[in-house]
Amino acid sequence: MTPTHIGIIMDGNGRWARKRGLARTQGHVEGLKAGKRIAKAASDIGIPYVTFYVFSTENWKRTADEVGFIMGLVRQYLRAEFSFSRENNIRVRYTGDISRLPSDVAQDIIDTCAESACFTGTQITLAINYGGRDEIVRAVRRALDNGQEINSETISAHLDNPDIPDLDLIIRTAGEKRVSNFLLWESAYAEFYFSDKLWPDWTASDLSMAIADFQKRERRFGGIK
Ligand code: IPE
Ligand code: IPE
Ligand code: MG
């Protein structure tokens, strides 16, 4: 079976740039191109849902220059790539607390999601100002605001995108083997795939290899085979 929902921790942009004597920001420019390549590849394969970790709730610790540059790239991507979404029938969604983003960035995210809501192919979710703990806290608050009791079902039902199924596969690039606060709730039974390759170097064949590896896994969900 191919995975229904893949989450990707796109890591190694800074190292990619450093290896070439370039500014870290140049790594993010190349990282964005890789993101488009992999979104296209996932859409070609017919993966229903892919979530890309774009900016974490902890990434504000970086310099103002780097944060500002990443926000600028997000806006540029959203504005310039609508035709890419249309040609590939890709619906763009988001997860994370966008109320804390610069208002122009937040508005572009909302507009892009609305404009692409009619596309019925692969759903690409951008995790921006996203933290797994933050999402759970916000879900619990929403459930309480709706007068619900707190249990697994009500928390799941109040996540940012309750209709998107849990993760089947998490990919992390650039050799790091940690989850860095990505989709904590949704990854309860996800399979992990770690790649030493830096994110800007990722191509469609890397995605195919990750999926092939996933297909060899035996998932038991706590049961007995
Ligand atoms: C991932 O690349 C992109 C973001 C976190 C925004 P990094 O910027 O973390 O690259 P490294 O880990 O420093 O190489
Ligand atoms: C995780 O990468 C966040 C994103 C890919 C957006 P980081 O580079 O921020 O994670 P750590 O700091 O190495 O754990
Ligand atoms: Mg990193």
Side-chain angles (χ1 to χ4, degrees):
M1 272 237 310
T2 52
T4 300
H5 184 185
I6 301 178
I8 306 182
I9 303 175
M10 311 180 281
D11 201 13
N13 292 353
R15 277 162 281 176
W16 184 94
R18 196 176 57 213
K19 260 178 48 184
R20 288 164 178 77
L22 302 169
R24 289 180 56 82
T25 47
Q26 201 52 41
H28 296 312
V29 171
E30 292 304 315
L32 174 62
K33 293 183 194 164
K36 261 188 78 178
R37 270 199 305 277
I38 300 305
K40 169 91 171 77
S43 154
D44 290 346
I45 297 167
I47 304 296
Y49 302 93
V50 185
T51 301
F52 288 98
Y53 206 1
V54 175
F55 191 86
S56 75
T57 48
E58 287 72 50
N59 285 146
W60 299 102
K61 293 175 188 165
R62 298 184 180 203
T63 64
D65 274 359
E66 182 168 344
V67 171
F69 191 87
I70 293 170
M71 294 300 157
L73 273 184
V74 169
R75 287 198 79 190
Q76 184 187 316
Y77 170 83
L78 293 172
R79 284 165 169 259
E81 303 303 346
F82 187 69
S83 57
F84 172 79
S85 283
R86 190 177 50 222
E87 279 155 25
N88 295 289
N89 198 24
I90 288 174
R91 177 173 173 193
V92 180
R93 304 181 66 171
Y94 74 88
T95 179
D97 183 1
I98 65 165
S99 73
R100 305 201 170 225
L101 296 178
S103 57
D104 52 352
V105 180
Q107 195 54 52
D108 278 352
I109 293 171
I110 290 166
D111 292 347
T112 304
C113 293
E115 284 162 14
S116 73
C118 54
F119 300 141
T120 55
T122 295
Q123 300 195 18
I124 298 287
T125 302
L126 305 176
I128 301 183
N129 191 27
Y130 179 85
R133 288 183 172 185
D134 182 63
E135 187 189 16
I136 294 166
V137 169
R138 289 185 292 105
V140 170
R141 285 204 186 117
R142 284 195 285 254
L144 289 173
D145 286 348
N146 286 341
Q148 307 268 301
E149 67 171 271
I150 299 304
N151 56 44
S152 287
E153 285 70 34
T154 57
I155 292 176
S156 288
H158 290 85
L159 294 172
D160 288 347
N161 295 297
D163 61 303
I164 298 181
D166 281 351
L167 281 171
D168 298 301
L169 173 64
I170 291 188
I171 295 171
R172 182 162 188 154
T173 65
E176 244 61 74
K177 294 179 181 65
R178 54 177 171 262
V179 74
S180 301
N181 205 8
F182 187 51
L183 298 173
L184 298 180
W185 185 272
E186 299 86 339
S187 64
Y189 271 98
E191 300 290 328
F192 283 79
Y193 181 86
F194 297 109
S195 159
D196 286 334
K197 231 189 209 190
L198 305 176
W199 175 249
D201 293 326
W202 259 58
T203 64
S205 72
D206 294 296
L207 181 67
S208 298
M209 280 197 291
I211 292 170
D213 192 83
F214 170 85
Q215 287 170 325
K216 290 187 279 191
R217 310 279 179 96
E218 183 188 292
R219 302 179 81 193
R220 289 190 289 274
F221 299 97
I224 298 166
K225 183 79 178 176

